[in-house]
Amino acid sequence: ELLAGRRSALGVPDSMPANSYVPSSNDLQSVLGTLQAKPIAPISLGGKVVQRSIGHLKQDLLSHLRQQSPDGQAPQLAAEDSDTIDLVGMLFEYILQDRNLPPQMQALLGRLQIPFLKAAILDKHLFAQKSHPARQLLDTMAQASMGWSEESDRDHRLYDKVKQTVESLLKEFDDDLSIFEKERVDFETFLDA
């Protein structure tokens, strides 16, 4: 409801423009899989290098969908899918603006936007259940990374484990959500050790 109010305040029209279509969840998953396989390069804004935001990701998604569209129709995201993208964006924006999280760790965790977006589209409970394995994994990784520094992690064990977990999700996650639980257990075992 809050997001619907936000759309209304931003003047987002309720009706679809002519010559447009709503991509299916399978179409979204397919394009997100393509985007996930490519490394996400940071962008330069005013001479400063910044991580790509969910807005950039949404533009990339729509661009790829447009290339695949039937009869050259413009893709129009369903309100629920658009809200899901915005919620994932807000989640990562919150994490990436936390000053207790070092920039190196922010960059690593920021790479998880696409896998989390895919998970949120597959399973709408991701936002409703605090016990969702994907949320627990992200929370655990973010908490472990707070206050991290190269001095405190001279052998880079924590940094390397976060990087390994991120890369594992990027390479292996397609549509089987059990990978989040597997990675969470593995990460927590590492922390305990």
Side-chain angles (χ1 to χ4, degrees):
E1 289 173 359
L2 289 171
L3 287 169
R6 180 175 172 263
R7 277 195 310 274
S8 176
L10 292 173
V12 176
D14 288 332
S15 61
M16 282 184 34
N19 195 28
S20 64
Y21 78 103
V22 175
S24 69
S25 288
N26 287 340
D27 292 339
L28 292 177
Q29 291 292 342
S30 173
V31 171
L32 287 170
T34 301
L35 293 173
Q36 180 176 313
K38 294 193 288 186
I40 300 175
I43 56 174
S44 179
L45 288 175
K48 182 181 176 187
V49 177
V50 296
Q51 293 297 317
R52 294 176 66 81
S53 70
I54 203 73
H56 297 113
L57 176 59
K58 199 184 258 190
Q59 290 172 353
D60 292 345
L61 177 64
L62 290 170
S63 175
H64 276 76
L65 286 167
R66 190 173 295 113
Q67 293 170 6
Q68 298 175 359
S69 71
D71 305 322
Q73 292 179 311
Q76 181 75 27
L77 294 173
E80 185 175 317
D81 292 330
S82 184
D83 288 349
T84 299
I85 292 170
D86 291 342
L87 282 170
V88 169
M90 289 165 49
L91 172 67
F92 277 90
E93 190 176 290
Y94 177 79
I95 289 170
L96 299 178
Q97 290 180 350
D98 189 334
R99 297 197 188 284
N100 295 316
L101 201 58
Q104 299 94 319
M105 291 298 192
Q106 288 178 345
L108 282 177
L109 294 177
R111 294 176 61 200
L112 291 175
Q113 288 184 78
I114 294 175
F116 270 77
L117 181 52
K118 287 174 65 177
I121 290 172
L122 283 169
D123 183 2
K124 303 301 181 196
H125 296 106
L126 187 136
F127 296 112
Q129 294 177 341
K130 198 169 186 144
S131 62
H132 193 283
R135 283 184 58 181
Q136 286 186 329
L137 173 63
L138 186 61
D139 287 347
T140 301
M141 290 172 63
Q143 286 175 353
S145 300
M146 285 191 180
W148 175 90
S149 68
E150 291 195 41
E151 295 80 34
S152 67
D153 188 26
R154 291 193 189 276
D155 57 2
H156 283 260
R157 287 180 58 206
L158 177 60
Y159 180 86
D160 290 344
K161 185 61 179 175
V162 171
K163 184 177 180 181
Q164 174 196 352
T165 304
V166 168
E167 288 177 352
S168 176
L169 287 169
L170 288 170
K171 288 178 188 164
E172 297 175 26
F173 177 56
D174 186 29
D175 60 1
D176 183 3
L177 293 168
S178 68
I179 190 171
F180 289 99
E181 179 64 15
K182 177 181 136 287
E183 292 295 335
R184 183 192 64 79
V185 168
D186 182 57
F187 194 82
E188 287 181 356
T189 302
F190 164 82
L191 290 179
D192 290 343

